[in-house]
């Protein structure tokens, strides 16, 4: 658990630490929460409205035969007239809550995006079970699509956002808008969404006593909302969006969930189904966090980081023109800034020799060489270190801060290149940033390449470098309790493999593993690996060639070591905390998500971030906003891990 969040949780009243008991009786819970809110207001502790955001309460016509729906409108200073609008749906397990509870988060979102927000005060269960809440939310959506009753907004540019039960309602509104036709939302932002009444996922079954929300509380929620229809074969997808058989044609999505959220697994599954249906989808699993943590503890660093990432995603989407962000069903969508660079990137070429591929990579990376900011603060040393027994020495590049006082954290970097190309020098700019920002020693490893040196030569070199750092820690000024491994693509496989080796052999302790677009599985049976046969930069034929070079001809008929293909490991428990980053149109996408998920279910703390409109290697389009976001997050995650106190 995040330490700041843990401190907040320790101060919570029983209604939050034992949600199962609290949500068994919604009227009593509402009265208790109202009393808490009144007590805070009387004590002068209620949040003060931000003067930069105006508030206005309105009544919107409900669906035919239904009462009007109350909404609260937030308009930040400087809003552009006739622009996009955010339709926000609050959480509360369908039984509590109102726009009032999201005043602070709505103001922050309005200020960060410059967009007006219309927050829905839908009817609550059990007095008003399904379909009343979704009918109210959809009535407001239709009202906005029709012009918003004189509000100065563009009804054809609606962004849906929802938290918890509100996330489920937002997903349902998106599905209903698709099914009924007419104006479609341009984005759906689902935060810790409630999606599936069946409650059968591992996270739902395991997390039965987590604070704020847990599996036992979910049973009460669904009973209040659906009555005896819970887990019924005929449950409507507008009640439980995961029930929908077809997710194609839906609006692009951003889904956030948390490590200790019983709803985590259904959010991951829904995101993957959206991806496989061709819907551009961003998925972010937040480590060390509980359900809706950033509303509970808005001021902690973790909450601020995740909100900033969410705001960036919304602002990036809005910055694209209407035509550029349009998604045509059945076609693959690329981020417009990345799409503009594709013609200038090297195309996969099955006919090229390995030497030609190495030459192309060297030329491409060489074109961007030059001084790197911060390099002057480092001592950069090229040398060799002892290799595995009986093998040649291993070239490395060592980055050491000139002025930082030791002992310092250390990270070993394993470069990418499909196991057959690349050098330790190729990540030089990123390595300079990490070494300077973290105040860390960084060792970039020039491991032997296939096919001249097939598995296990490469990973043996990488593990030898880890052992060398451990044995020479005093000379290097390294704190052996804070040693991390990182790698991209094939380097991700090597980093994951080294982490498994260290665990299995009782080797040096690794405090963190950062895996970018990682290679994890030689079987190539995932949906993305079977589907993406013609994607830019890297595709299924390239993956097949990579594995044949690394494992040798006929490898499919042999048993593959998990140190070569980390997803082959039967047991992932006991591995170090991890960050896994995947890209959208990447044959490796699904195996990367699967490896992250398997680590989570094994009890490993994992942050997973899947970026939409991207592909394997699209980070070379460095000026694209999504590339900047993903590169910065990778650096920031590693820096935080290296600066964190050593775990007991």
């Amino acid at each position: 658990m995040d330490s700041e969040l843990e401190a907040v949780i320790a101060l919570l009243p029983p209604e939050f630490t034992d949600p199962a008991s609290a949500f068994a009786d919604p009227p009593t819970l509402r009265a208790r929460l109202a009393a808490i809110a009144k007590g805070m207001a009387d004590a002068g502790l209620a949040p003060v409205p931000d003067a930069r955001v105006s508030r206005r309460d309105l009544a919107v016509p409900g669906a035919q035969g239904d009462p009007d729906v109350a909404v609260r409108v937030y308009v930040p200073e400087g809003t552009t007239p006739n622009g996009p609008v955010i339709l926000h749906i609050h959480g509360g397990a369908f039984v509590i809550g109102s726009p009032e509870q999201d005043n602070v988060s709505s103001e922050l979102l309005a200020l960060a995006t410059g967009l007006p927000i219309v927050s829905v005060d839908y009817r609550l269960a059990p007095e008003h079970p399904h379909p009343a809440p979704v009918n109210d939310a959809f009535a407001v959506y239709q009202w906005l699509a029709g012009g918003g009753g004189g509000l100065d907004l563009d009804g054809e540019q609606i962004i849906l956002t929802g938290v918890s039960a509100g996330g489920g309602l937002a997903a349902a509104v998106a599905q209903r808008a698709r099914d009924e036709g007419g104006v479609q939302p341009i984005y759906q932002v689902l935060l810790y969404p409630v999606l599936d009444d069946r409650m059968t996922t591992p996270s739902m079954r395991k997390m039965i006593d987590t604070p704020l929300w847990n599996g036992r509380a979910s049973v009460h929620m669904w009973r209040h909302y659906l009555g005896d229809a819970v887990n019924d074969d005929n449950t409507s997808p507008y009640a439980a969006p995961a029930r929908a058989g077809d997710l194609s044609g839906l609006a692009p999505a951003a889904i956030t969930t948390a490590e200790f959220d019983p709803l985590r697994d259904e959010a991951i599954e829904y995101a993957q189904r959206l991806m496989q249906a061709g819907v551009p989808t961003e998925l972010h699993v937040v480590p060390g966090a509980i359900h809706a943590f950033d509303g509970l503890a808005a001021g902690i660093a973790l909450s601020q980081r995740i909100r900033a990432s969410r705001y960036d995603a919304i602002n990036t989407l809005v910055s694209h023109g209407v035509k550029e962000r349009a998604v045509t069903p059945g076609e693959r969508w690329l981020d417009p800034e990345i799409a503009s660079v594709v013609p200038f990137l090297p195309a996969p070429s099955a006919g090229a020799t390995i030497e030609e591929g190495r030459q192309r990579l060297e030329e491409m990376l060489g074109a961007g060489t030059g001084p790197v900011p911060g390099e002057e603060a480092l001592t950069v040393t090229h040398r060799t270190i002892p290799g595995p027994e009986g093998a040649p020495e291993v070239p490395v590049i060592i980055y050491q801060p000139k002025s930082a006082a030791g002992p310092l954290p250390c990270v070993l970097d394993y470069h990418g290149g499909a196991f057959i190309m690349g050098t330790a020098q190729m990540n030089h700019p990123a390595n300079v940033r990490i070494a300077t920002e973290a105040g860390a020693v960084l060792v970039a490893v020039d491991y032997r390449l296939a096919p001249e040196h097939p598995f296990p030569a490469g990973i043996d070199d990488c593990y030898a470098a880890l052992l060398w750092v451990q044995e020479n820690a005093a000379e290097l000024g390294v704190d052996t309790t804070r040693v991390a491994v990182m790698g991209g693509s094939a380097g991700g496989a090597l980093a994951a493999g080294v982490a498994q080796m260290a665990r299995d052999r009782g080797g040096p302790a690794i405090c963190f593993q950062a895996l970018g677009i990682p290679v994890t599985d030689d079987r190539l049976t995932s949906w993305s690996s079977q589907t993406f046969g013609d994607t830019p930069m890297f595709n299924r034929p390239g993956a097949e060639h990579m594995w044949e070079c690394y494992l040798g001809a006929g490898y499919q008929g042999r048993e593959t070591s998990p140190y070569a293909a980390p997803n082959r490991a039967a047991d992932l428990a006991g591995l170090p905390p991890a960050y896994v980053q995947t890209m959208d149109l990447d044959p490796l996408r699904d195996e990367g998500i699967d490896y992250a998920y398997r680590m989570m279910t094994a009890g490993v703390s994992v942050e997973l971030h899947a970026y939409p409109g991207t592909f394997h290697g699209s980070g070379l389009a460095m000026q694209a906003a999504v590339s900047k976001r993903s590169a910065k997050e990778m650096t920031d995650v590693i820096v935080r891990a290296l600066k964190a106190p050593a775990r007991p």
Side-chain angles (χ1 to χ4, degrees):
M1 186 78 70
D2 176 86
S3 58
E4 287 186 296
L5 178 58
E6 204 165 30
V8 172
I9 291 172
L11 302 175
L12 293 177
E15 289 79 8
F16 297 94
T17 55
D18 184 15
S21 298
F23 278 88
D25 183 1
T28 300
L29 176 59
R30 292 172 197 154
R32 173 62 178 151
L33 293 177
I36 292 173
K38 184 178 184 302
M40 291 181 65
D42 291 345
L45 299 176
V48 177
D50 194 310
R52 297 170 295 171
V53 181
S54 68
R55 299 181 187 178
R56 179 182 174 191
D57 293 330
L58 301 173
V60 172
Q64 186 173 5
D66 286 343
D68 288 351
V69 183
V71 300
R72 176 163 291 180
V73 182
Y74 304 81
V75 181
E77 291 178 349
T79 296
T80 302
N82 198 36
V85 59
I86 295 173
L87 172 57
H88 178 69
I89 309 174
H90 70 78
F94 303 113
V95 302
I96 63 170
S98 69
E100 184 80 20
Q101 74 183 29
D102 288 347
N103 274 340
V104 172
S105 60
S106 292
E107 287 177 343
L108 290 172
L109 179 59
L111 290 168
T113 62
L115 301 178
I117 297 173
V118 176
S119 187
V120 184
D121 199 1
Y122 56 88
R123 288 171 289 170
L124 301 175
E127 298 86 347
H128 303 284
H130 176 76
V134 72
N135 283 348
D136 288 353
F138 193 68
V140 177
Y141 176 82
Q142 290 182 308
W143 176 75
L144 288 172
L151 296 179
D152 199 1
L153 53 84
D154 182 353
E156 294 190 354
Q157 296 193 73
I158 303 173
I159 297 171
L160 298 168
T161 67
V163 181
S164 189
L169 291 171
V173 168
Q175 289 189 20
R176 190 165 167 183
R178 177 202 60 182
D179 296 344
E180 296 189 11
V183 173
Q184 299 298 301
I186 63 172
Y187 206 24
Q188 48 176 327
V189 180
L190 314 180
L191 311 178
Y192 330 103
V194 173
L195 297 166
D196 199 333
D197 64 307
R198 290 166 290 195
M199 297 177 283
T200 56
T201 64
S203 62
M204 184 65 71
R205 293 180 180 276
K206 181 178 181 180
M207 298 177 195
I208 58 173
D209 58 0
T210 45
L212 202 66
W213 196 251
N214 55 44
R216 293 183 296 119
S218 293
V219 174
H220 291 302
M221 172 187 69
W222 283 113
R223 287 293 179 191
H224 294 318
Y225 191 46
L226 296 181
D228 293 335
V230 175
N231 206 13
D232 187 273
D233 290 341
N234 297 316
T235 298
S236 167
Y238 300 154
R243 294 284 199 147
D246 179 15
L247 299 182
S248 63
L250 290 172
I255 298 178
T256 302
T257 188
E259 180 181 359
F260 301 118
D261 186 349
L263 307 175
R264 180 195 69 197
D265 292 356
E266 62 195 65
I268 294 172
E269 181 182 353
Y270 193 70
Q272 287 191 281
R273 289 184 59 209
L274 286 168
M275 293 175 194
Q276 293 171 9
V279 177
T281 302
E282 182 164 339
L283 170 64
H284 199 172
V285 182
V286 182
I290 61 173
H291 181 80
F293 71 96
D294 55 344
L296 172 71
I300 66 173
L302 182 61
S303 297
Q304 294 179 44
R305 174 168 76 88
I306 299 306
R307 276 201 309 272
S309 177
R310 185 183 311 143
Y311 300 158
D312 284 345
I314 294 173
N315 288 332
T316 297
L317 178 122
V318 172
S319 70
H320 299 324
V322 175
K323 290 183 179 179
E324 287 77 10
R325 65 173 177 250
V327 179
T328 303
E331 295 185 8
R332 296 172 184 164
W333 182 82
L334 273 180
D335 178 274
E337 292 181 297
I338 287 177
S340 67
V341 179
V342 169
F344 306 100
L345 295 176
S349 178
T353 67
I354 291 174
E355 282 303 322
E356 288 170 340
R358 290 171 179 168
Q359 182 64 31
R360 283 205 311 267
L361 180 62
E362 186 176 337
E363 291 172 355
M364 182 174 62
L365 295 174
T369 57
V372 177
E375 189 173 355
E376 67 281 356
L378 301 172
T379 299
V380 181
T381 306
H382 295 251
R383 61 163 292 177
T384 60
I385 62 173
E389 185 176 356
E393 292 194 325
V394 180
V396 296
I397 306 173
I398 305 173
Y399 301 78
Q400 294 173 291
K402 292 177 179 178
S403 57
L408 303 176
C410 177
V411 58
L412 291 102
D413 172 52
Y414 307 127
H415 67 80
F419 303 113
I420 62 176
M421 62 183 73
T423 68
Q425 183 69 28
M426 64 187 283
N427 294 334
H428 179 68
N431 288 342
V432 168
R433 286 196 300 272
I434 291 169
T436 54
E437 291 183 25
V441 175
L442 190 146
V443 180
V445 182
D446 229 342
Y447 55 88
R448 287 171 288 171
L449 299 176
E452 298 90 341
H453 304 284
F455 176 83
I459 194 165
D460 282 350
D461 288 352
C462 293
Y463 190 69
L466 174 67
L467 294 175
W468 179 80
V469 167
Q470 175 83 10
E471 293 164 0
N472 295 272
E475 177 187 343
L476 294 168
V478 165
D479 176 358
T480 57
T481 67
R482 291 187 292 162
V483 176
V485 293
M486 70 177 189
S489 191
L494 294 166
V498 165
Q500 289 189 24
M501 274 187 171
R503 177 200 63 178
D504 298 344
R505 298 177 180 180
I510 295 173
C511 72
F512 194 72
Q513 49 179 329
L515 314 178
I517 51 175
V519 173
T520 64
D521 202 326
D522 63 303
R523 290 166 290 194
L524 301 178
T525 56
S526 72
W527 185 93
S528 61
S529 68
Q530 293 183 333
T531 303
F532 297 142
D534 58 354
T535 42
M537 291 286 290
F538 190 71
N539 50 36
R540 182 184 176 89
E544 292 171 339
H545 179 60
M546 169 188 72
W547 283 115
E548 186 165 301
C549 290
Y550 191 45
L551 299 180
Y555 73 89
Q556 298 92 335
R558 300 190 295 268
E559 186 67 26
T560 300
S561 167
Y563 302 150
N567 234 337
R568 290 278 197 163
D571 180 14
L572 299 180
L575 289 173
Y579 173 79
V580 179
Q581 187 177 95
T582 67
M583 298 299 161
D584 193 5
L585 306 180
D586 182 355
L588 308 179
R589 182 194 69 198
D590 292 352
E591 65 189 63
I593 293 173
D594 182 57
Y595 190 66
Y597 176 71
R598 290 187 59 222
M599 284 193 287
M600 290 178 206
T601 58
V604 178
S605 184
V606 180
E607 178 167 0
L608 167 65
H609 205 154
Y611 286 90
T614 55
F615 53 82
H616 193 93
S618 62
L620 289 173
M622 292 179 287
Q623 296 309 309
V626 67
S627 297
K628 292 178 179 178
R629 287 181 61 211
S630 60
K632 183 178 186 302
E633 183 172 86
M634 175 65 80
T635 299
D636 290 349
V637 163
I638 295 168
V639 169
R640 279 195 304 274
L642 293 175
K643 287 187 172 182
R647 295 192 174 203

